[in-house]
Amino acid sequence: MSEQESWVAEARGIWYRPVEKNREEVSRTLDRVQAMGANELYLETWFWGYTIYPSAVQAARGFEPQHPAFHGWDPLEAFVAEAGRRGIAVHAWLDGFMVGVDPAGGPVLRVYPEWAAHTRKQAGSATPQPQPETGFFWLDVTNSDVSDHFLSVIREMATNYRIAGINLDFMRLPFADAPEDRYCYSNAARSAFEREYGTDPLEIVPNEDEPLWQLWMAWIARREDDLIAKLYEEVKRLRQELVISAAPEPGIESDLIANWSQHVDIVIPQAYHDRSDRVRETVELYRKLLPPSNLVYSGIYPMYVGLDVPETIEQVLAARERSEGTVMFALGQATDEAIRALRQGPWRTPAISTGLFPLQAVQAIVLDVKLKIEEIYVPRQWVHAGTALEMSRQLDVLLSGLKSESEPVAVTELEARVADLTAYLQEQSEREAIHSVVFSQLRSSTERMHQLLQYARMKLRM
């Protein structure tokens, strides 16, 4: 595996639902994460309507304050602290408005059954009803009490724990082909729409060509969009450095992900395929949907479905060709063989997380390019000596701007310097002073620098 390049700057993440019973077990789990070379852990922190930590916000609403599997201790505190000692950042992965398969609706809907989302067929039901296709119960995103509570839980996490980010999953109500199975026909949603437009949604003919039907579907999506916008604003006000990521499911979440481009920092498409070429295609599609200010990671699942180790590594390599990071699903299915292959192959050396530390990542890329010029490109005569000297000078100028100790980094100036370097490389390539393969590698590096600087300036306000 050693012939595979190990990048100096990329996000290497893995999703995980905790099962640990104590801090010692947390340490052993994180030893495995560290052993694979990962630098980010996406820890499921809110699922099936429970928090894994003891929540005052949940308790204040009359809900069980913590998932019963973790009573008596705080796994979130343990994961954050122990991961920090290993240089691993913890993101709180949230299941959003999907609250599990408990026939009673789980801890939230047992207390507030009126918070349930209903399909058209289920309209008027006094009790929570499951999604026909999956058996999942859903919270009504249009209900202000639901959104207020969800935001309160996120504020609690962001305030009380040194998490690195919030990872959003299941943040749109599911789409169904059959109109009778479409959401959301809760009493709260129907009343709110009728107040605005004078029509009960239940009376609207469910036809894609019907203007009122289109208005009703758009109204639901807008409520979801508004919540993400409010979430982003509140989290950034609490902690500007906290990163908001979304992992859109194939379907309605994916189709509308561009609606959230201003209100999430990173998008992690679920490129869940059994072939690496399909991974590339999916991630490239998202890159075209989103503005350059969003970073795109690749969500892949070879370990979850039991693909062999060579295909797992191939998917990791394919993912990073098209994105600034990889998040794998899931740690629970990671074999020792796969962990060794990652650590001996593409994740064998440390890497700076691009989404969390974009300026440090740019610095690492610059230093890596300088090293390759000195140790590979010039000795092998792949770059003309004079060209290499000028490239190194320009890279040193970039480094000086990134290492400012006394004042904030001038990101716009750095972007201009990267543009100048890119133009110089193009000119030297046309003069045949740079080997074509090396030019392609250098151009890829400057494109990554530019992307990360845009992201730092526009999303993290650097």
Side-chain angles (χ1 to χ4, degrees):
M1 298 292 181
S2 60
E3 70 275 7
Q4 298 157 352
E5 184 177 6
S6 184
W7 284 12
V8 296
E10 64 175 331
R12 302 169 180 171
I14 191 156
W15 280 294
Y16 181 57
R17 172 176 288 184
V19 295
E20 290 71 18
K21 302 298 184 186
N22 52 54
R23 201 178 195 93
E24 290 71 26
E25 291 184 5
V26 168
S27 292
R28 287 197 292 271
T29 295
L30 287 167
D31 286 344
R32 298 189 82 222
V33 177
Q34 186 176 30
M36 70 171 54
N39 54 21
E40 298 187 10
L41 176 69
Y42 290 74
L43 183 71
E44 199 168 17
T45 305
W46 158 273
F47 63 94
W48 292 11
Y50 294 101
T51 54
I52 65 170
Y53 64 90
S55 168
V57 168
Q58 291 273 91
R61 283 282 190 176
F63 306 147
E64 292 179 62
Q66 186 179 20
H67 192 292
F70 305 112
H71 284 173
W73 71 297
D74 187 341
L76 181 55
E77 181 278 327
F79 268 101
V80 170
E82 295 300 325
R85 294 188 181 99
R86 294 164 173 80
I88 299 166
V90 174
H91 299 253
W93 165 30
L94 312 180
D95 274 2
F97 298 100
M98 191 279 286
V99 289
V101 294
D102 184 343
V108 175
L109 295 180
R110 280 199 297 268
V111 178
Y112 291 106
E114 66 273 20
W115 283 14
H118 288 137
T119 66
R120 181 181 175 88
K121 187 188 297 182
Q122 297 163 352
S125 173
T127 60
Q129 299 295 317
Q131 181 186 355
E133 183 180 355
T134 64
F136 293 159
F137 288 82
W138 292 83
L139 297 177
D140 175 12
V141 66
T142 74
N143 186 319
S144 60
D145 289 336
V146 169
S147 57
D148 287 348
H149 178 69
F150 187 70
L151 291 174
S152 294
V153 170
I154 290 176
R155 284 194 297 269
E156 181 178 54
M157 292 181 193
T159 301
N160 295 345
Y161 300 90
R162 296 307 296 176
I163 53 176
I166 300 289
N167 180 229
L168 303 173
D169 201 358
F170 295 111
M171 290 301 291
R172 287 197 190 274
L173 293 171
F175 179 85
D177 291 326
E180 292 301 304
D181 293 331
R182 297 274 185 94
Y183 287 91
C184 171
Y185 289 84
S186 67
N187 291 337
R190 289 167 59 193
S191 297
F193 185 85
E194 188 169 11
R195 283 195 299 272
E196 288 188 49
Y197 297 104
T199 301
D200 182 345
L202 203 56
E203 298 173 359
I204 299 172
V205 177
N207 187 312
E208 300 298 342
D209 296 325
E210 167 59 48
L212 266 179
W213 174 259
Q214 295 173 9
L215 182 66
W216 164 233
M217 291 291 98
W219 186 85
I220 296 290
R222 191 164 65 250
R223 291 299 178 277
E224 295 162 338
D225 295 343
D226 289 347
L227 175 62
I228 297 297
K230 188 174 182 181
L231 183 158
Y232 191 78
E233 178 184 349
E234 291 201 11
V235 168
K236 293 296 184 177
R237 186 168 59 245
L238 281 173
R239 289 175 54 195
Q240 175 62 41
E241 80 283 2
L242 207 74
V243 168
I244 308 298
S245 62
E249 297 268 338
I252 193 69
E253 278 192 339
S254 296
D255 294 343
L256 298 181
I257 189 60
N259 290 18
W260 294 352
S261 63
Q262 294 183 2
H263 309 301
V264 299
D265 301 312
I266 299 165
V267 175
I268 312 172
Q270 296 182 21
Y272 291 166
H273 305 291
D274 59 4
R275 298 200 326 264
S276 56
D277 59 330
R278 295 290 310 283
V279 170
R280 290 185 184 93
E281 292 170 5
T282 297
V283 177
E284 187 61 33
L285 176 63
Y286 279 85
R287 287 174 61 92
K288 292 176 181 176
L289 284 173
L290 294 162
S293 56
N294 288 120
L295 282 195
V296 175
Y297 293 173
S298 302
I300 59 175
Y301 77 158
M303 295 188 296
Y304 182 73
V305 294
L307 299 182
D308 62 24
V309 169
E311 179 59 34
T312 297
I313 299 303
E314 182 59 34
Q315 289 205 11
V316 170
L317 296 173
R320 76 179 187 186
E321 286 177 18
R322 296 292 188 269
S323 64
E324 286 298 335
T326 305
V327 185
M328 304 185 74
F329 191 81
L331 182 61
Q333 290 74 40
T335 64
D336 291 343
E337 185 183 8
I339 288 173
R340 281 194 301 272
L342 285 165
R343 189 52 182 259
Q344 293 171 6
W347 290 2
R348 68 181 176 278
T349 58
I352 302 294
S353 168
T354 45
L356 297 177
F357 310 109
L359 297 186
Q360 292 181 38
V362 172
Q363 185 179 48
I365 293 170
V366 171
L367 289 169
D368 186 57
V369 170
K370 278 180 60 68
L371 186 65
K372 287 174 178 173
I373 291 171
E374 296 167 4
E375 297 188 354
I376 301 174
Y377 300 155
V378 171
R380 297 184 183 181
Q381 299 183 334
W382 289 345
V383 176
H384 187 277
T387 300
L389 191 62
E390 174 59 18
M391 285 167 51
S392 294
R393 186 195 68 78
Q394 292 194 35
L395 291 167
D396 285 337
V397 171
L398 270 172
L399 283 176
S400 67
L402 287 162
K403 292 181 177 178
S404 175
E405 299 288 344
S406 59
E407 57 187 25
V409 173
V411 176
T412 52
E413 291 183 17
L414 293 173
E415 289 179 272
R417 291 170 183 170
V418 170
D420 290 342
L421 176 59
T422 302
Y424 179 73
L425 292 174
Q426 182 65 44
E427 172 192 308
Q428 295 303 300
S429 175
E430 291 169 359
R431 292 182 57 244
E432 298 185 350
I434 303 176
H435 189 284
S436 59
V437 173
V438 172
F439 171 71
S440 178
Q441 293 173 351
L442 292 171
R443 183 61 188 267
S444 176
S445 293
T446 58
E447 287 174 352
R448 295 189 70 208
M449 292 178 204
H450 181 64
Q451 165 75 66
L452 293 170
L453 291 170
Q454 276 190 306
Y455 166 73
R457 173 172 53 83
M458 300 177 72
K459 287 296 185 181
L460 304 189
R461 304 292 189 266
M462 291 180 173

